[in-house]
Amino acid sequence: MTPFRIDVPQADLDELSDRLAHSRWPDALPGVGWSYGVDREYLIELAEYWRTGYSWRTQEDRLNSLPQFCTEIDGQNIHFIHLRSPEPDATPLILTHGWPSTPADFLGILGPLTDPRSHGGDPGDAFHVVAPSVPGFGFSGPTLDTGWDVERIARAWAELMTRLGYERYGAQGGDYGSLISPALGRTAPDRVMGVHVNALASAATASGDELDRLSEPDRAKAAANERWWYQHNGYATQMALRPQTLTYALNDSPAGQLAWNLEWFVDWDPTATDQAPIDRDAILTDVTTLWLTGTAGSAARIYRESLSAWGRKPAPSGVPTAVANFRGDRAVRGLAEQAHTVVRWNHYPVGGHFASLQAPAELVIDIREFFRSVGSC
C-alpha cells in the first residue's frame, strides 16, 4: 500500500478554466425549465461559479488532510481514505459511494463517525473508516478491463479489508454503494457484521413473483416507482448500453460533464423537489475530481458492467441489514426483505438521495444506532 497525496498541476486547472470560459452553449426552448433536461440558465450560472468562484485547491487541502492510500487489487488501482479512530476498540466500517460521487461525499461525516467523543457522541460508537474510490472513479483511475460489476467490486473490498487487517467489520453505502455493500455481505458473510444502506436502489421496482409476494400497499408503491423510473432512466440507459459514445463528450467538455452529472445530483428540478439542496461546492468537488482524472466516462461504465443484474434481485443475504430512507428514496420494504435480512427500517422527512451531503447528522445517528445494536448481538 502506497501513501497518496493529491497534487493537481496548475496547468490542468488553467486548462479547465479556459475550457469553461469557451463553452459553446446551445439554445433552449422558452418556458420549458427542467422538463427537457438540465436548465440552461442554471447550468451557465453554475459553470461560471465553477470557473470563477469555486476553489479546487481548498478542496484538495481538505482531502489531503486525511490519510489516503493506493493499492492494486485484481489488476486495478484502488484509491482509499483510511481514517482510524482515536478510540482503540472502534468498529471498522467501509463506506461506498455511488454515481456520480467520490469519497469526498463523506467529508462531513468522517469526524462524527471516527471521533464521536469530540462531536458530542458516545465514544463507544466510534468507527475506523475506510472509504475507497469505486474502480473507474476519480483517483482509482479508469478501469483497465471489463467485468467491474457490483460483485467484483465487493470481492475487491473484501480483499482491501483483509490487507488492512480488519477481520470483522461493517459496510455502509448509498446509490451504487447500496448495491456494493450488501454484495460485500454476501461475499464475506462471516466477516461482515452488518450492512447499512440508504437510497436502496435494488428494492424499488418488481415484476412477476416478486410483485405477487407483496402486500397491496407495497405493490402499489412498486408500480408507482416503475412509472417514475420510466420518466427518469434516460441517463442510466445510455450508460448501461453505450457508455463509450457518451465518454467522448464527457472527456472533452467540462460544461457537458457538469450537465450530465447534474441529472442525478439535483433530482432533475431543484425548484420543484422537496429534497434538501446539495452544496454546490460538494457537487463541484465530485465533478472536478472526475474531470481532472479523466474518469467521467470510466465511471459511467459501472452501469454497463452491471447491466446483467438490472431487474434481477440478488440472492437472499443473512447479514443483518438496516435501511435508512430519506426524502425521495423509493425503497419498498417488502422487496427489500426478499433479498436482505432487514432488522431496521427508518424513514426521515429530510435529506435526499445523497444522504451524507443532504442529511449528514441523521445518517450518522442511524449508522451509530444500527451498529450499536448488531455489535451487542
Side-chain angles (χ1 to χ4, degrees):
M1 294 190 182
T2 305
F4 178 81
R5 182 177 176 81
I6 305 166
D7 186 15
V8 174
Q10 185 59 41
D12 291 355
L13 298 178
D14 293 342
E15 185 204 31
L16 169 58
S17 178
D18 186 64
R19 285 176 179 263
L20 286 169
H22 292 88
S23 296
R24 186 168 178 244
W25 299 109
D27 73 306
L29 293 173
V32 300
W34 289 73
S35 63
Y36 277 57
V38 172
D39 179 77
R40 181 178 184 272
E41 298 310 311
Y42 180 97
L43 181 63
I44 290 174
E45 180 181 350
L46 185 56
E48 181 62 12
Y49 172 74
W50 190 8
R51 188 177 73 86
T52 62
Y54 170 80
S55 171
W56 167 257
R57 293 302 187 199
T58 297
Q59 303 305 319
E60 187 178 69
D61 288 345
R62 289 182 71 199
L63 289 164
N64 281 335
S65 70
L66 301 168
Q68 299 173 78
F69 303 87
C70 286
T71 189
E72 183 179 308
I73 300 176
D74 194 11
Q76 174 68 37
N77 179 62
I78 302 294
H79 161 266
F80 62 97
I81 296 168
H82 183 202
L83 186 60
R84 288 186 59 85
S85 171
E87 309 295 338
D89 296 327
T91 300
L93 178 68
I94 183 167
L95 301 177
T96 306
H97 65 83
W99 182 90
S101 295
T102 71
D105 283 13
F106 302 129
L107 288 176
I109 66 173
L110 290 179
L113 287 176
T114 58
D115 191 9
R117 188 191 300 269
S118 297
H119 292 80
D122 183 345
D125 291 329
F127 298 92
H128 300 307
V129 172
V130 179
S133 295
V134 170
F137 288 68
F139 298 110
S140 281
T143 48
L144 303 178
D145 59 354
T146 61
W148 278 102
D149 58 7
V150 165
E151 287 74 21
R152 187 175 177 184
I153 296 169
R155 293 193 296 271
W157 278 194
E159 173 62 21
L160 176 60
M161 296 302 274
T162 296
R163 292 185 187 183
L164 292 172
Y166 294 134
E167 291 303 317
R168 185 85 169 148
Y169 51 87
Q172 199 285 328
D175 190 82
Y176 253 98
S178 77
L179 307 179
I180 295 167
S181 297
L184 177 56
R186 293 180 178 88
T187 297
D190 56 332
R191 299 176 61 197
V192 177
M193 62 189 295
V195 171
H196 183 286
V197 295
N198 61 282
L200 180 57
S202 62
T205 61
S207 60
D209 292 344
E210 293 171 340
L211 277 175
D212 295 339
R213 293 156 58 189
L214 295 178
S215 66
E216 187 57 40
D218 278 357
R219 193 177 303 123
K221 184 175 182 180
N225 288 342
E226 186 76 29
R227 293 190 294 272
W228 181 90
W229 184 237
Y230 180 77
Q231 297 293 326
H232 290 74
N233 69 9
Y235 80 100
T237 300
Q238 175 65 33
M239 292 191 289
L241 297 178
R242 306 287 289 177
Q244 189 62 31
T245 302
L246 177 66
T247 295
Y248 301 112
L250 296 180
N251 207 58
D252 191 59
S253 168
Q257 186 205 313
L258 175 61
W260 189 255
N261 293 163
L262 287 173
E263 278 287 303
W264 212 226
F265 270 135
V266 298
D267 191 34
W268 275 33
D269 186 351
T271 67
T273 182
D274 60 358
Q275 293 191 28
I278 303 175
D279 180 79
R280 58 183 179 176
D281 279 9
I283 292 174
L284 291 174
T285 295
D286 284 334
V287 174
T288 308
T289 298
L290 297 182
W291 174 263
L292 293 172
T293 56
T295 57
S298 177
R301 289 200 288 263
I302 193 172
Y303 284 81
R304 171 73 179 191
E305 303 299 351
S306 302
L307 178 60
S308 63
W310 279 32
R312 172 173 56 84
K313 291 297 181 290
S317 170
V319 176
T321 300
V323 182
N325 298 280
F326 295 88
R327 279 190 181 273
D329 287 344
R330 289 176 166 77
V332 177
R333 181 161 189 168
L335 289 175
E337 289 175 339
Q338 293 178 23
H340 310 275
T341 301
V342 177
V343 299
R344 180 183 174 92
W345 184 275
N346 277 338
H347 286 275
Y348 293 92
V350 295
H353 185 81
F354 298 88
S356 64
L357 297 175
Q358 295 169 291
E362 291 79 4
L363 179 62
V364 166
I365 289 171
D366 209 83
I367 293 171
R368 286 174 177 171
E369 291 181 350
F370 169 63
F371 284 103
R372 188 188 307 150
S373 67
V374 297
S376 62
C377 294

